[in-house]
Amino acid sequence: MNQIQPIDLHCHSTHSDGTLTPAALVALANQKGLAALALTDHDTVSGVAEACTAAQGLPLEVIPGVELAAAYPHPLTGEALEIHIVGLWIDPTEPDFAAAMTEFAQERAARNDAMLSALQRLGLPITAEDLSKAGGHGTITRAHYAQALQAKGLVASKKEAFQRYLGRGKPGYVSRKLPSFHRCIHLIQNTGGVAVLAHATLYGLSFPQIRALAITLKEAGLSGIEVRYSTFSSEETSFLTALAAELDLAPSGGSDYHGTIKPDIALGTGRGNLFVPSTFLPDLRARRS
């Protein structure tokens, strides 16, 4: 009988808002004895080739992945709620997908320019160079703004940066133009990949609302759902595991590792008690389009 090994199907590199390069992530995953690692940077697959190359000759499967932000109508207000869909076994060269990545990068760049201007109008001396110093050489996210604000002594912590300036409704926040969840799932499937709903309990929804979300996304082609995640409580894990079984969604999971930007989250083990088993892989792999 094969030994059940740990895997991690959700992590980030310097190509989005992580602090380790793809090669360094692969080395760390191998050091930790992971059987599989999915690189799922935000709205980009630019680090996938480096990760796959770094894994050559290692007893570690690197799964090309991505984490896409998508719009879902809030069940109470109907306004666009940002949800995240992880794609596993992505083919980065598929033409429609590659074109979408370019489009999403351009939209992020426009939003970042607007956010930078908003912060500067507030009298905060933040520049594009500051964001690069914060690690924003790939996909720039609000996490890079928080790092830059903290590095310049304008806030005491990243948490304060979001509470005062970067959170939704705060003076430095600029909303994003998000693709529909239908489009994101289709893009993933069209590459031969598997679409997985990420960290479902982080969207401010009740359990019944999460169930309705999962049903709607499955009707659109969703194949899996994260049932194990760094911040999930035992109650949340139990609910999502039962939901996956009820809806015939493949269970998945990961740490959402970012490196030093989230120092309490370790690759593979999250906050210390996360274990995503290699037994999840066959079902997920079987759902490939």
Side-chain angles (χ1 to χ4, degrees):
M1 180 180 296
N2 292 331
Q3 181 182 4
I4 298 176
Q5 296 175 273
I7 61 176
D8 195 327
L9 303 182
H10 189 157
C11 72
H12 299 276
S13 77
T14 49
H15 285 255
S16 64
D17 54 349
T19 58
L20 291 185
T21 65
L25 269 175
V26 168
L28 180 59
N30 185 58
Q31 176 187 331
K32 286 176 167 281
L34 299 186
L37 177 76
L39 178 60
T40 57
D41 280 321
H42 292 287
D43 298 322
T44 182
V45 288
S46 60
V48 164
E50 179 186 334
C52 290
T53 298
Q56 291 178 3
L58 298 179
L60 169 70
E61 177 185 2
V62 168
I63 298 171
V66 72
E67 184 175 6
L68 300 180
Y72 172 78
H74 193 284
L76 298 180
T77 67
E79 295 181 358
L81 174 68
E82 180 176 326
I83 63 169
H84 290 185
I85 300 172
V86 163
L88 302 175
W89 290 285
I90 291 295
D91 175 7
T93 66
E94 197 283 319
D96 287 345
F97 183 84
M101 292 301 96
T102 298
E103 175 191 333
F104 295 166
Q106 291 170 343
E107 290 173 351
R108 270 189 179 270
R111 183 225 195 178
N112 283 325
D113 287 345
M115 191 174 295
L116 191 60
S117 296
L119 291 172
Q120 290 171 344
R121 285 195 299 270
L122 292 170
L124 299 170
I126 296 296
T127 66
E129 183 180 356
D130 295 324
L131 297 174
S132 294
K133 288 179 180 177
H137 302 293
T139 301
I140 294 177
T141 70
R142 283 183 293 165
H144 295 118
Y145 285 89
Q147 279 183 280
L149 288 168
Q150 184 180 18
K152 300 198 85 168
L154 299 168
V155 293
S157 65
K158 299 179 187 70
K159 181 178 180 180
E160 182 186 348
F162 277 88
Q163 290 176 336
R164 293 183 62 186
Y165 302 115
L166 304 175
R168 183 179 293 273
K170 301 303 179 181
Y173 178 82
V174 176
S175 62
R176 291 182 57 192
K177 178 184 177 183
L178 294 171
S180 70
F181 63 84
H182 293 93
R183 185 184 182 198
C184 289
I185 292 172
H186 172 74
L187 284 169
I188 291 167
Q189 289 183 324
N190 202 39
T191 72
V194 176
V196 175
L197 176 61
H199 42 61
T201 64
L202 300 190
Y203 306 129
L205 302 176
S206 65
F207 281 180
Q209 290 169 340
I210 291 172
R211 182 176 180 275
L213 166 65
I215 290 172
T216 299
L217 267 57
K218 182 179 179 181
E219 291 172 350
L222 188 77
S223 296
I225 186 170
E226 289 183 348
V227 303
R228 300 192 183 188
Y229 182 78
S230 291
T231 64
F232 283 173
S233 67
S234 57
E235 180 186 16
E236 289 169 336
T237 295
S238 295
F239 165 73
L240 291 167
T241 300
L243 183 64
E246 176 195 351
L247 300 182
D248 188 29
L249 292 170
S252 185
S255 63
D256 204 357
Y257 177 75
H258 284 70
T260 57
I261 198 171
K262 292 184 179 180
D264 60 328
I265 302 295
L267 187 68
T269 55
R271 288 179 169 167
N273 59 358
L274 177 69
F275 182 80
V276 183
S278 54
T279 50
F280 281 2
L281 286 174
D283 191 8
L284 284 164
R285 193 177 283 112
R287 310 288 179 118
R288 294 178 67 176
S289 302

